[in-house]
Amino acid sequence: MFHAGAAGVSWKTAPAELRDRCLLPPERADQLTLLIRARGVREVVVLSTCNRVEVWTASEDPERTALVVLEVWSEVCGLEPGWTDRAFVHHHEAAVEHIYRVAASVDSLVLGETQIPSQVRLAWERSRDAGQCGFFLGKLVQGALTASKRVRSQTRLGEGALSVAGAAVDLARKISGNVERLTVGIVGAGEMAELALSGFVRAGARKFVYANRTPENLRRFTTLHPGRIEGLGALDKVLAECDVVVAATGSPGFVITPPLAVWAMRGRRRPLFLLDIAAPRDIDPEVARCPGVFLYGIDDLEQVVDKNRLSRGGEAQVAESLLATDVESFRIWWRSLSMVPILAQVREQVHAVAQAEVDRFHHRVRQAQTEEDLRMVLEDFAQALANKFLHPPTVGARHAASEGREQEMAAALRELFLHGDAT
Amino acid sequence: MGGRALIHEVVRWIPWAVYAALALLHARRWFSAVPAEPTEYRALRVGAVGLHGVLFLATAWLQHRLPFGTMWEALSLATLVLAGSYLLLEHLARSSALAAPFFTLAAFGSGLSAANHEPPRWPVHVQSVLFAAHVTCGVAGLAFLVAASLLAAAWLLQYRELRARRFGRLSQRLPDLATLDRLFLAASIVGTATLFVGGLLGVVWMVSQGRELHTVLPKFSMVLITVLWNLVLQALRRREAFSIRAAAWMGFVGIVPVGVVIWVGAGGY
């Protein structure tokens, strides 16, 4: 019998640097999948996003599968030992629940984000088209996506700004109006920068400039949305070009200083929205005195988030309860799978019996001269077939009665042949 | 007082009453904890402006004269244009946050117009199409310029709130800075052009009547100053180096010459 398994790293368990090293772009995901399947795992789906990299499996032994997945992953990505301390592993029903929560974006960094369902769908379709995923994970992922739709339509989880990222977008809107037309600069490669980026991507911003001391670390941002990559040395150009700049580096000192802001605002009419979400701060508070500059910090955003959170009520709880119902439906289907082998055996045997009877009556059909003869043959055939089918349960029922299990057997026969009818 | 006179007396106060009620309703909403307004509010606003328009036209038709017989009646038309322009601005800004100040001003204008009711002073030969077009364009232009000043004031308020990191009711309800700026500029351009055309028609009318311009010199000068002020503002506003804040202040201060033109103009022709 198949069991679900899920293993990986997410924003909850691992820092951005580790997630970066665990990333599984398509070629690497294919390599990983082939190696895992070569070790006896039946179905594999790889989900790789900015906030999580996960491998979902279907196998007979999920505990062993999880070890295989982590081992192969280490080989493929060249990860050093000990990384698995930051990884999560779910088996059986916990894995099913996890996959449902991921697809419904209840497990997301930005609660209710709209991107994850399409990312899950793409991951599954890719795996299915490559023949790496069959009916079990197909049913599981499709069920999770249906549940995700239900959560989205029956709750207000995806609306408005619940997150810090959403609050940043709201503030940017208050200053510059339509976010889609804005040029957004992301300075830094940390989780908070990624969070702000996801907010602006969701809000429809199209033009991004990424800046970091080590530009190579911005690779995962470009998978979320294409953009130009700069080093911190070009920060003056970034400030002059952008309408919104989110600063979230790990720098110990100020990265954006008043002279830099004054230079950026020289000869410029558009306001500049600066958001400092770094700890310690990246932007000198004196920058706020520069005309046309709107400088906000994480505390300011939290004010906005609190207002929104109050108005959103307990949408997350409603979503969780909806998911619980859907997970239970999948669980019922999953339990029914345990009958599949025995049912297949019964069907095979019944078909063999039927075929033997057909062979036995074949010559009598050919000898039938009249319609009356043919009718008699068919009646005999039906009688013989019924006797053959009923012989094993009849013998079994008598045997059970002789052993004192008559009640149990009667109930089973009633359930199987009389559709539960006691009369 | 005869029955017809009484009806006329009541009818001319209806726009004031409706605008005042709307102003109160929207002022109350500013202090409400729920930011979203009931859907029927929009219908109320459109209905109020429509009713004013119908009453204005019906009065003119019943009294067998062009839309207005005195400058105070023309003020009623200006109020109508102001309220109508607000509906357009609200649609473009997707925000009804400025309903309270606009309808307060509309109530003030229509109240002044109703309180200063007097028999038509304009002789028949004055009530030409050219003269009516001159006054209509003039009052419409002034109404748009008043709207521009209100939008500039709203921009300055929103700017102050956002710079001070106050995300309270005022900031939440006012439209964003970019929208306010865009609408302010649009209202200023439309107002300047309409006022200029109105002034030009006035000059043509006076020449056609053989009148001398020095008789309306104060009004003429103030209209000229207003138009020039707004043209300078728009020219500066187009320069990338000119700050939007300075433009908003200029737009807000622009209410002064507009007010003087209204004051001088409402006194007679």
Side-chain angles (χ1 to χ4, degrees), chain B residues 52-240:
Chain B
H52 185 183
V54 169
L55 288 176
F56 185 82
L57 290 175
T59 309
W61 183 67
L62 287 171
Q63 295 185 354
H64 306 291
R65 63 183 192 224
L66 284 168
F68 30 76
T70 66
M71 286 310 286
W72 292 112
E73 284 182 5
L75 182 63
S76 178
L77 178 66
T79 305
L80 184 60
V81 174
L82 177 80
S85 71
Y86 166 73
L87 292 182
L88 184 67
L89 297 176
E90 163 187 307
H91 175 71
L92 294 174
R94 289 189 290 275
S95 162
S96 61
L98 295 174
F102 266 86
F103 283 111
T104 304
L105 207 62
F108 181 68
S110 53
L112 265 181
S113 173
N116 288 286
H117 178 65
E118 53 194 42
R121 290 187 291 158
W122 294 333
V124 177
H125 72 275
V126 167
Q127 294 198 34
S128 66
V129 172
L130 198 57
F131 183 76
H134 150 65
V135 178
T136 304
C137 283
V139 295
L142 291 171
F144 274 110
L145 290 178
V146 169
S149 291
L150 280 178
L151 289 164
W155 190 96
L156 290 167
L157 269 176
Q158 180 68 291
Y159 181 85
R160 198 190 64 169
E161 291 298 292
L162 290 173
R163 289 270 291 185
R165 298 166 183 183
R166 284 193 293 260
F167 312 117
R169 228 165 252 175
L170 185 64
S171 171
Q172 277 186 342
R173 292 201 161 109
L174 283 172
D176 62 84
L177 286 177
T179 302
L180 284 169
D181 176 54
R182 211 173 52 244
L183 292 179
F184 151 67
L185 193 65
S188 169
I189 291 171
V190 174
T192 309
T194 323
L195 185 65
F196 179 74
V197 171
L200 207 63
L201 289 172
V203 172
V204 173
W205 174 77
M206 288 196 79
V207 171
S208 71
Q209 295 294 314
R211 289 165 186 270
E212 291 183 14
L213 282 178
H214 67 81
T215 55
V216 288
L217 199 57
K219 190 162 74 173
F220 183 77
S221 313
M222 284 318 297
V223 168
L224 204 62
I225 288 171
T226 307
V227 168
L228 283 175
W229 176 270
N230 280 281
L231 284 176
V232 169
L233 162 62
Q234 286 150 28
L236 287 172
R237 175 66 185 74
R238 276 185 175 75
R239 291 182 59 191
E240 185 64 26

Side-chain angles (χ1 to χ4, degrees), chain A residues 359-401:
Chain A
D359 293 345
R360 198 155 71 85
F361 278 81
H362 188 233
H363 73 284
R364 283 186 62 189
V365 172
R366 289 170 70 97
Q367 284 171 358
Q369 300 290 319
T370 62
E371 197 175 318
E372 187 59 28
D373 290 347
L374 190 60
R375 185 184 168 78
M376 280 178 63
V377 174
L378 280 176
E379 276 177 3
D380 290 349
F381 173 74
Q383 192 66 39
L385 203 57
N387 286 339
K388 287 273 183 189
F389 287 161
L390 289 174
H391 180 67
T394 308
V395 172
R398 284 191 180 136
H399 181 69

Side-chain angles (χ1 to χ4, degrees), chain A residues 171 173-177 181 267-271 288-296 300 303-304 307, chain B residues 158-159 162-163 165 167-168 171-179 182 237-244:
Chain A
L171 274 179
R173 271 200 194 105
K174 271 284 173 214
I175 294 163
S176 304
R181 287 199 300 251
R268 163 189 176 139
R269 191 170 59 196
R270 289 171 298 135
R289 299 169 77 92
C290 185
V293 172
F294 294 84
L295 171 62
Y296 300 111
D300 302 315
Q303 274 188 57
V304 180
K307 283 183 186 8
Chain B
Q158 180 68 291
Y159 181 85
L162 290 173
R163 289 270 291 185
R165 298 166 183 183
F167 312 117
S171 171
Q172 277 186 342
R173 292 201 161 109
L174 283 172
D176 62 84
L177 286 177
T179 302
R182 211 173 52 244
R237 175 66 185 74
R238 276 185 175 75
R239 291 182 59 191
E240 185 64 26
F242 193 70
S243 92
I244 302 179

